[in-house]
Amino acid sequence: MSRSRQPPLVTGISPNEGIPWTKVTIRGENLGTGPTDLIAIHQKLEADGTEKVEGSMTQKLENVLNRASNTADTLFQEVLGRKDKADSTRNALNVLQRFKFLFNLPLNIERNIQKGDYDVVINDYEKAKSLFGKTEVQVFKKYYAEVETRIEALRELLLDKLLETPSTLHDQKRYIRYLSDLHASGDPAWQCIGAQHKWILQLMHSCKEGYVKDLKGNPGLHSPMLDLDNDTRPSVLGHLSQTASLKRGSSFQSGRDDTWRYKTPHRVAFVEKLTKLVLSQLPNFWKLWISYVNGSLFSETAEKSGQIERSKNVRQRQNDFKKMIQEVMHSLVKLTRGALLPLSIRDGEAKQYGGWEVKCELSGQWLAHAIQTVRLTHESLTALEIPNDLLQTIQDLILDLRVRCVMATLQHTAEEIKRLAEKEDWIVDNEGLTSLPCQFEQCIVCSLQSLKGVLECKPGEASVFQQPKTQEEVCQLSINIMQVFIYCLEQLSTKPDADIDTTHLSVDVSSPDLFGSIHEDFSLTSEQRLLIVLSNCCYLERHTFLNIAEHFEKHNFQGIEKITQVSMASLKELDQRLFENYIELKADPIVGSLEPGIYAGYFDWKDCLPPTGVRNYLKEALVNIIAVHAEVFTISKELVPRVLSKVIEAVSEELSRLMQCVSSFSKNGALQARLEICALRDTVAVYLTPESKSSFKQALEALPQLSSGADKKLLEELLNKFKSSMHLQLTCFQAASSTMMKT
């Protein structure tokens, strides 16, 4: 054989070299083809044996070796069997040791699930999946199938926990990430969003049903079981105080006394509870959606293909989620309307959103409180950056509540003003006024002040008066308030004497009690009540109504000019009617006494003695006029010119009529008539009006002119004598000529 052949290579697996199953290559000079090599020796022996002996010369050697081998096998079979068994066991233990992670994994998964160590389970599963997910070894496939079975059970468990309600946002995010890491089928995050949506709606309607049931059981009180203060969830105010973006300084519930909750109407308490419930659930619901949109819910190690699929889902789900939010807002608004504005919901929705069965309307005070609650809810939802178009229904609700609150407050104010007549004490101050005009103005001021927050427009809110219909209704209610008070005045002016519970009358201490008519046990007459009401009317016209118009304007009421005009017209109509009644009561007796007085004792203008002075009938008429002056002056100085002017007009008109009815006068008769007419005219000169001056002129023109200077002198002497003798009585007519007279 040529030495140029290369040495052979023997490759095999050695049980003693390196770690098990290590492949080795044996190179050796004794395996070569040289003269001393085993192969060369074998070849030489084969050649020699064939030549010298029959058959192979190594055959006998082979047979000997085989017998030796069989003998050895017989001798050492048991030992070798044990060795093989030991090797087999050792190999099996090596395999178990090497792959114990997979074999122990099903049990470890169960234990960690029971402990809630879902992160450990997921990590182990990911490791097993990467090592044995595609194995073809049957035992590995069997155990990996067990792992998959338990992981599937874990997926179902986590999904059940995810869809449980109530749950926290933290837990929801955690379970969604677990399911994402476990490559759960479907879209667990969206399923969670849907479950939360149904849960919120269910809570809202259950809240309403609970309050309605409680109302029917205890219509008088706010049930402690449903009391807001007993709610363990975060309150609306607590939530808002923690919202940095709102930055409000105080709570609308501050300063509430301990009995407040027992006085709260069920419907108002329900709205508070409802809004608190929504604000405790909706923020997490919204944040869950935001996390769903930006992908922060899912595992950072999720496959890109999965992320792309979720992006497609988000785009498809946006409209669905918008509908969910709209449904929650719709339910919130409808339930609130059913409680506070039952007439604003359709008949078909009354059962679902209403059912309160209350007969009385809520007062403006409680409506204002409810408005504040809804406003705070809107602010809190806005702080979550929920789009304004989804919150528009709440804005519409707030506007309707504000309008209703204004209407209810004005209606309630009218009812309060109706009762003001019961509070009239008839105590007159130095200006001739009772406390009634002040009480009236104060009542309206307080009413408008209670509406200050309601009328104020918060960001994004429209004016209460933006709708012409609302403007007209508010204007009519305002006019009604004024007219209700005017009606109260009219009722007071005509109240029977027996109904007046007044034992004294306060007057100006500087006013002389001319006739002792004001004393400790004084009781008002119908004429005095008329005067007091007239005095109040004058003050209302000059001050109160104008002040009220300013208050209306300050609070941005519309149609103020119309309110003022209509109210003033009604007030003036009442004033004129009461004034005419008073004049009729006072002037008619005086006027009626003139004619009998003139012709007393069969007096005849054609046949009478020379005049010696003013006759008694005229003095009596003057005394009666003085009595009217005293009565009016006692009540109100400002009414004196107005009243006396009208009384004197009536007297002068009657005197003129009587003079014109005389067919003829004798000289003495003419002088007597001129004396009496001039005496009356000069005495009341300060209260003469153009009408009364005209009447006196006509009366004098009906008399014959004085023919001689002696008659004129006598007339002047008699006039001076009358004024001197009646000086004390006529003092009340010596008012300053600058006194303004109202006609």
Side-chain angles (χ1 to χ4, degrees):
M1 266 209 190
S2 173
R3 296 289 293 178
S4 62
R5 290 180 59 189
Q6 295 296 324
L9 298 179
V10 180
T11 301
I13 297 177
S14 172
N16 300 320
E17 299 293 337
I19 64 175
W21 304 100
T22 300
K23 294 181 179 181
V24 297
T25 299
I26 302 173
R27 300 172 186 271
E29 57 182 8
N30 294 327
L31 295 178
T33 58
T36 58
D37 293 340
L38 288 175
I39 295 175
I41 294 171
H42 176 70
Q43 291 174 351
K44 185 172 176 50
L45 288 175
E46 286 288 338
D48 291 346
T50 303
E51 296 177 357
K52 296 178 178 180
V53 293
E54 184 180 354
S56 175
M57 67 180 297
T58 59
Q59 185 65 44
K60 292 181 180 181
L61 178 60
E62 182 181 356
N63 292 334
V64 170
L65 290 176
N66 284 334
R67 288 194 301 271
S69 176
N70 291 333
T71 303
D73 287 341
T74 302
L75 292 174
F76 296 100
Q77 185 175 9
E78 185 177 353
V79 174
L80 293 174
R82 288 198 299 270
K83 178 181 179 299
D84 290 342
K85 186 175 181 181
D87 289 342
S88 175
T89 302
R90 187 180 300 109
N91 290 337
L93 290 174
N94 288 337
V95 171
L96 287 174
Q97 181 64 27
R98 186 177 179 185
F99 300 102
K100 66 178 181 180
F101 165 72
L102 176 62
F103 299 141
N104 292 333
L105 188 54
L107 181 59
N108 288 338
I109 288 175
E110 289 186 358
R111 289 175 178 174
N112 288 326
I113 289 175
Q114 290 176 0
K115 292 190 293 185
D117 293 337
Y118 303 122
D119 289 306
V120 176
V121 175
I122 292 171
N123 291 336
D124 289 346
Y125 173 65
E126 289 293 338
K127 183 178 178 181
K129 185 176 181 181
S130 65
L131 292 175
F132 306 102
K134 298 180 181 180
T135 184
E136 295 299 328
V137 180
Q138 290 301 317
V139 66
F140 293 165
K141 290 176 69 175
K142 178 181 178 181
Y143 275 89
Y144 185 73
E146 287 292 328
V147 171
E148 285 290 358
T149 301
R150 284 159 176 75
I151 291 299
E152 184 60 32
L154 176 59
R155 291 190 187 106
E156 295 177 1
L157 173 65
L158 291 175
L159 184 60
D160 291 342
K161 287 183 174 292
L162 176 63
L163 301 182
E164 275 184 5
T165 51
S167 62
T168 64
L169 180 62
H170 173 74
D171 287 341
Q172 290 167 358
K173 288 183 175 181
R174 191 160 58 94
Y175 294 139
I176 290 172
R177 286 195 183 97
Y178 291 153
L179 289 168
S180 174
D181 290 339
L182 293 173
H183 310 286
S185 61
D187 192 349
W190 181 250
Q191 288 179 269
C192 178
I193 290 173
Q196 287 299 308
H197 170 246
K198 292 179 181 178
W199 167 249
I200 293 173
L201 293 178
Q202 180 184 346
L203 282 179
M204 294 168 70
H205 286 279
S206 296
C207 180
K208 190 267 290 187
E209 294 300 329
Y211 270 87
V212 170
K213 182 178 180 181
D214 184 66
L215 175 62
K216 294 178 179 178
N218 298 299
L221 294 176
H222 171 195
S223 172
M225 293 184 65
L226 295 173
D227 184 12
L228 295 173
D229 296 337
N230 290 336
D231 195 346
T232 58
R233 288 176 293 184
S235 66
V236 178
L237 300 175
H239 175 80
L240 294 176
S241 65
Q242 295 171 7
T243 305
S245 60
L246 298 183
K247 297 181 180 178
R248 288 186 298 276
S250 61
S251 166
F252 69 89
Q253 288 180 314
S254 60
R256 184 191 294 183
D257 59 34
D258 293 337
T259 61
W260 186 90
R261 63 175 180 266
Y262 296 107
K263 300 175 183 177
T264 308
H266 277 69
R267 289 177 288 166
V268 176
F270 160 69
V271 171
E272 277 200 348
K273 186 70 170 289
L274 179 66
T275 55
K276 181 186 293 186
L277 184 152
V278 170
L279 288 182
S280 69
Q281 298 293 329
L282 197 60
N284 287 343
F285 183 58
W286 180 258
K287 291 174 184 176
L288 183 64
W289 164 252
I290 296 301
S291 299
Y292 180 79
V293 170
N294 60 32
S296 62
L297 281 178
F298 309 106
S299 170
E300 297 177 359
T301 61
E303 298 91 345
K304 291 185 178 180
S305 60
Q307 293 178 350
I308 294 172
E309 185 66 26
R310 281 192 293 273
S311 298
K312 293 180 180 178
N313 287 343
V314 167
R315 289 192 293 271
Q316 296 170 357
R317 309 288 196 197
Q318 281 180 343
N319 288 335
D320 294 335
F321 184 77
K322 184 176 181 180
K323 291 178 181 178
M324 288 182 181
I325 292 292
Q326 287 175 335
E327 188 174 0
V328 172
M329 295 299 105
H330 173 84
S331 295
L332 172 63
V333 169
K334 288 289 186 180
L335 287 169
T336 303
R337 286 184 180 276
L340 304 179
L341 302 171
L343 297 180
S344 67
I345 59 175
R346 297 191 294 269
D347 293 339
E349 298 175 329
K351 183 177 181 180
Q352 183 179 4
Y353 298 105
W356 292 92
E357 298 180 4
V358 290
K359 297 180 181 179
C360 59
E361 291 290 335
L362 287 172
S363 67
Q365 175 191 3
W366 287 115
L367 284 172
H369 179 79
I371 289 169
Q372 182 72 349
T373 300
V374 179
R375 274 176 166 171
L376 290 172
T377 303
H378 181 269
E379 290 178 18
S380 184
L381 295 176
T382 303
L384 293 174
E385 300 182 356
I386 296 178
N388 288 332
D389 61 324
L390 297 179
L391 302 179
Q392 186 57 45
T393 54
I394 299 182
Q395 285 282 30
D396 296 340
L397 169 63
I398 292 174
L399 179 60
D400 291 347
L401 283 173
R402 290 166 64 206
V403 171
R404 181 58 201 150
C405 180
V406 172
M407 303 294 184
T409 300
L410 294 179
Q411 290 170 352
H412 179 70
T413 302
E415 293 297 324
E416 283 189 343
I417 289 173
K418 280 183 182 179
R419 295 190 289 270
L420 282 182
E422 302 169 4
K423 300 178 181 180
E424 177 62 281
D425 54 13
W426 300 103
I427 299 177
V428 182
D429 62 12
N430 292 338
E431 297 181 2
L433 306 172
T434 65
S435 61
L436 206 58
C438 181
Q439 291 182 42
F440 170 60
E441 181 177 351
Q442 190 63 31
C443 185
I444 292 182
V445 169
C446 290
S447 175
L448 294 178
Q449 188 65 29
S450 71
L451 290 174
K452 182 178 180 180
V454 175
L455 295 173
E456 180 183 356
C457 293
K458 299 293 183 181
E461 292 183 358
S463 170
V464 170
F465 306 109
Q466 70 170 358
Q467 295 295 333
K469 180 181 178 182
T470 303
Q471 294 180 18
E472 181 62 27
E473 290 179 357
V474 171
C475 181
Q476 282 302 126
L477 286 172
S478 302
I479 291 173
N480 182 58
I481 288 173
M482 312 293 268
Q483 291 180 332
V484 163
F485 185 67
I486 292 172
Y487 178 75
C488 286
L489 293 175
E490 183 176 10
Q491 293 297 106
L492 287 170
S493 67
T494 58
K495 200 171 185 180
D497 293 346
D499 294 341
I500 303 298
D501 184 18
T502 303
T503 57
H504 65 283
L505 183 66
S506 174
V507 298
D508 188 348
V509 294
S510 63
S511 302
D513 188 2
L514 299 177
F515 301 100
S517 59
I518 309 301
H519 53 81
E520 185 177 0
D521 295 327
F522 176 79
S523 296
L524 289 176
T525 63
S526 59
E527 292 90 345
Q528 287 170 326
R529 288 201 305 277
L530 273 175
L531 283 174
I532 293 173
V533 174
L534 277 172
S535 178
N536 286 338
C537 285
C538 293
Y539 185 82
L540 289 167
E541 181 181 352
R542 293 196 306 269
H543 300 286
T544 305
F545 277 18
L546 299 179
N547 293 343
I548 291 172
E550 291 180 3
H551 289 300
F552 281 142
E553 185 174 5
K554 181 180 177 182
H555 289 82
N556 300 318
F557 273 54
Q558 305 297 310
I560 298 174
E561 184 176 351
K562 179 180 178 181
I563 295 172
T564 305
Q565 287 178 351
V566 174
S567 303
M568 286 290 192
S570 298
L571 181 66
K572 289 178 180 178
E573 180 185 352
L574 174 64
D575 176 86
Q576 186 62 29
R577 189 163 64 251
L578 296 182
F579 179 72
E580 290 174 357
N581 289 344
Y582 183 78
I583 294 301
E584 183 178 348
L585 288 172
K586 293 300 180 182
D588 284 0
I590 299 174
V591 169
S593 67
L594 289 180
E595 186 172 5
I598 288 174
Y599 296 106
Y602 303 101
F603 179 82
D604 188 355
W605 294 110
K606 294 182 291 185
D607 182 17
C608 59
L609 299 175
T612 58
V614 175
R615 289 185 293 167
N616 288 336
Y617 83 91
L618 189 62
K619 294 179 180 180
E620 289 177 1
L622 281 172
V623 168
N624 289 332
I625 294 173
I626 292 169
V628 173
H629 180 284
E631 184 176 67
V632 177
F633 188 86
T634 301
I635 302 298
S636 173
K637 300 175 187 177
E638 294 184 3
L639 284 176
V640 171
R642 184 185 179 192
V643 172
L644 289 190
S645 297
K646 278 296 180 182
V647 171
I648 291 167
E649 281 183 11
V651 172
S652 62
E653 182 181 353
E654 176 65 11
L655 194 59
S656 173
R657 184 189 69 80
L658 291 173
M659 294 300 104
Q660 292 175 17
C661 289
V662 177
S663 58
S664 62
F665 292 89
S666 65
K667 176 183 176 182
N668 290 336
L671 187 59
Q672 182 72 44
R674 189 173 294 274
L675 170 64
E676 292 169 354
I677 293 172
C678 290
L680 178 60
R681 183 194 62 186
D682 294 348
T683 299
V684 298
V686 73
Y687 297 117
L688 292 179
T689 63
E691 288 79 6
S692 56
K693 288 178 181 179
S694 176
S695 296
F696 279 119
K697 182 180 179 181
Q698 291 173 5
L700 291 173
E701 288 175 351
L703 303 177
Q705 296 296 320
L706 295 178
S707 58
S708 64
D711 290 341
K712 293 180 180 179
K713 184 178 180 180
L714 177 61
L715 176 63
E716 184 176 352
E717 288 177 354
L718 292 175
L719 280 173
N720 290 333
K721 177 183 176 183
F722 166 74
K723 293 176 181 178
S724 176
S725 62
M726 296 283 290
H727 173 73
L728 181 61
Q729 288 83 351
L730 302 182
T731 301
C732 64
F733 296 119
Q734 307 303 315
S737 59
S738 61
T739 301
M740 298 298 295
M741 293 182 293
K742 185 175 180 179
T743 60

